[in-house]
Amino acid sequence: MTDMNISPTIETLKQDALSCLRQLIAIPSVSRDETAAADCLQAHMETWQLHPQREANNLYLIDPDYDERRETILLNAHIDTVKQAASWQRNPFEPMLEGDRLYGLGSNDCGGGLVTLLQVYRYLISRPRQRNYVYVASAEEEVSGKDGFSRVLPLLPRVDVAIVGEPTGMQPAVAERGLMVIDGTAHGKSGHAARNEGVNAIHEVLEDLLWLRDYRFEKVSERLGPTRMSVTVIQAGTQHNVVPDACHFVVDVRTNECYTNEEVFRIIDAHTKSEMKARSFRLSSSSVPMGHPLVERCLQLGLKPFGSPTLSDQALMPFPSLKMGPGDSARSHAADEYICVSEIEGAIDLYLRLLS
């Protein structure tokens, strides 16, 4: 049984969260290169006697008093960062505190959520409780890698609902768009351009491009709006005097929760004559019902549910989840990224009110 007499104070949680984040910022942790950052976070967990388990560069904690008869809430955020933008004016790996702002790569996405949810887990398991709590610090989130959350998921106990600590200004994102990338190929026949021989694959693809631009999916989400498609890459031809026999293009599809990725692909494939191939169906749209007790608790606290256009590890979760964390999504992946100390402190207070 957990020793209920070692519960840290809220002030200690806030100080430890900030100290941990500053150390993590100083360690480069671009996706698929998170080992040193995971080592650092693991050392902090062990210092706080949290007994982490590790799978690759994923760290996870299971409630020491886990009871399969109780509801289980997963707290999740990711360790990895994107590569720094060239326009950084500061050293991205030097945690700089200027007033209320803590600058550094990964401070906002997703360091704030990572350290605050860890402190919240630490506090909750030190207190009498009616639920189980599980914490996962996942790797490779920014690239949806196979050695990230999907690798640790089979090792976790049953989860009833999850909170993902992406930066949302601590407002609950109750739905999140999915992602599907499709590679399309229109086929033609090569020939000499001077004699207008062959079948021009660029001409063959035009009808499909117009359909992809103009088609509107019937089911529209209240939170996310319609499923959207964008042709983002197109390549054809080898030289000016050869009629191209193939035109390759890429379609970026952002699904809402009204469709599975497989359903959307079937609609696209049925309406296009190009050869279409989805790279993956695994990054699905995710949501939590508005009547879920966790959402109702958010409403009681005066929070405002919304739909998020950005992708997270929610896409890999086969259970209800909402996205809610400190920081602002607009700062993510931007030069001179920062998070406010007040946002970290406020997040710990609000998470504990939410889960109390």
Side-chain angles (χ1 to χ4, degrees), residues 235-287:
Q235 298 170 326
T238 56
Q239 57 192 61
H240 77 89
N241 57 355
V242 178
V243 171
D245 60 1
C247 180
H248 305 284
F249 58 99
V250 177
V251 188
D252 179 290
V253 184
R254 304 288 171 154
T255 50
N256 62 26
E257 78 277 20
C258 303
Y259 296 93
T260 65
N261 286 343
E262 290 87 346
E263 288 173 329
V264 170
F265 179 80
R266 286 194 292 269
I267 293 171
I268 294 172
D269 194 41
H271 285 84
T272 52
K273 61 181 181 180
S274 298
E275 178 185 351
M276 309 295 275
K277 183 176 181 180
R279 296 181 186 177
S280 170
F281 295 121
R282 65 195 285 262
L283 301 177
S284 304
S285 177
S286 56
S287 64

Side-chain angles (χ1 to χ4, degrees), residues 56-102:
N57 286 326
N58 303 281
L59 296 166
Y60 63 103
L61 300 163
I62 297 175
D63 195 316
D65 295 335
Y66 177 82
D67 184 341
E68 63 181 11
R69 296 168 296 181
R70 300 191 301 194
E71 178 188 35
T72 297
I73 298 180
L74 168 66
L75 309 176
N76 164 249
H78 63 89
I79 299 172
D80 60 316
T81 72
V82 295
K83 295 180 180 179
Q84 67 267 30
S87 52
W88 270 81
Q89 299 299 305
R90 298 170 171 81
N91 181 347
F93 305 113
E94 183 179 354
M96 294 292 295
L97 188 59
E98 297 181 9
D100 190 37
R101 294 183 177 185
L102 175 62

